[in-house]
Amino acid sequence: MSRQTRPEHGSETSTTVVQLNHTAVYAPDRQLSAEFIAVILGVEVGAPFGPFLPVDLGNGVTLDYYEKRDEPIQPQHYAFLVPEERFDAMIARLEAVGVTYYADPGHTDPGRINRLFGGRGAYFDDPGGHNMEIITRPYIRP
């Protein structure tokens, strides 16, 4: 970006908070993956938007599921900060649909949760192979 197009300090653009609005999540079956995460998180799948099937997370961010059937999908990691009072219900929904959850991102500690940073967390795979995480407290970063 050239100096001429870069916002100056103190301008409206440079002081506006940057927020994630949406991200595309590739899946072999967008309907299956979108419905899966919506059920686990207790949110809704929205109406299709072009090739995307959005899942509104309720904080102004959507996961826009995009179907890719003809090429491999690189697994990604998605972490969701969830209310403490909804965590147990999410774990119960994972158990109800037969999905194993883990205390660690490497999936070596099945059927257990972690208690990092005074909260609770768990990892699990979605139908497209993405490593999903639910946490009740944000991680403390140095």
Side-chain angles (χ1 to χ4, degrees), residues 80-82 84 116-121 134-140:
F80 304 95
L81 182 61
V82 303
E84 175 68 41
L116 298 173
F117 306 105
R120 297 187 294 161
I134 52 175
I135 56 174
T136 61
R137 295 269 173 93
Y139 291 160
I140 299 170

Side-chain angles (χ1 to χ4, degrees), residues 7-8 10-19:
E8 295 298 320
S11 73
E12 182 179 331
T13 303
S14 68
T15 59
T16 302
V17 174
V18 176
Q19 297 179 346

Side-chain angles (χ1 to χ4, degrees), residues 77 87 91 94 100-116 119-125 131-135 139:
H77 174 69
F87 184 84
I91 293 295
L94 286 167
T100 303
Y101 57 90
Y102 302 84
D104 65 307
H107 293 198
T108 63
D109 198 2
R112 297 175 50 97
I113 65 167
N114 65 58
R115 297 188 179 275
L116 298 173
R120 297 187 294 161
Y123 298 83
F124 56 94
D125 284 336
N131 187 14
M132 304 301 203
E133 179 183 13
I134 52 175
I135 56 174
Y139 291 160

Side-chain angles (χ1 to χ4, degrees), residues 2-133:
S2 75
R3 177 117 175 101
Q4 292 174 338
T5 60
R6 188 175 301 155
E8 295 298 320
H9 291 292
S11 73
E12 182 179 331
T13 303
S14 68
T15 59
T16 302
V17 174
V18 176
Q19 297 179 346
L20 181 65
N21 178 265
H22 66 275
T23 190
V25 180
Y26 297 131
D29 181 333
R30 73 179 190 169
Q31 188 76 38
L32 177 66
S33 290
E35 287 178 2
F36 170 81
I37 200 62
V39 165
I40 300 306
L41 298 177
V43 297
E44 299 289 324
V45 175
F49 181 72
F52 302 104
L53 189 59
V55 175
D56 187 343
L57 299 178
N59 63 342
V61 177
T62 60
L63 299 176
D64 292 342
Y65 281 86
Y66 182 83
E67 200 159 292
K68 286 180 79 171
R69 291 184 180 253
D70 299 331
E71 56 188 279
I73 294 170
Q74 176 66 44
Q76 300 294 316
H77 174 69
Y78 298 91
F80 304 95
L81 182 61
V82 303
E84 175 68 41
E85 62 274 7
R86 294 180 60 194
F87 184 84
D88 290 332
M90 292 176 190
I91 293 295
R93 288 191 286 268
L94 286 167
E95 291 172 343
V97 296
V99 172
T100 303
Y101 57 90
Y102 302 84
D104 65 307
H107 293 198
T108 63
D109 198 2
R112 297 175 50 97
I113 65 167
N114 65 58
R115 297 188 179 275
L116 298 173
F117 306 105
R120 297 187 294 161
Y123 298 83
F124 56 94
D125 284 336
D126 82 341
H130 297 296
N131 187 14
M132 304 301 203
E133 179 183 13

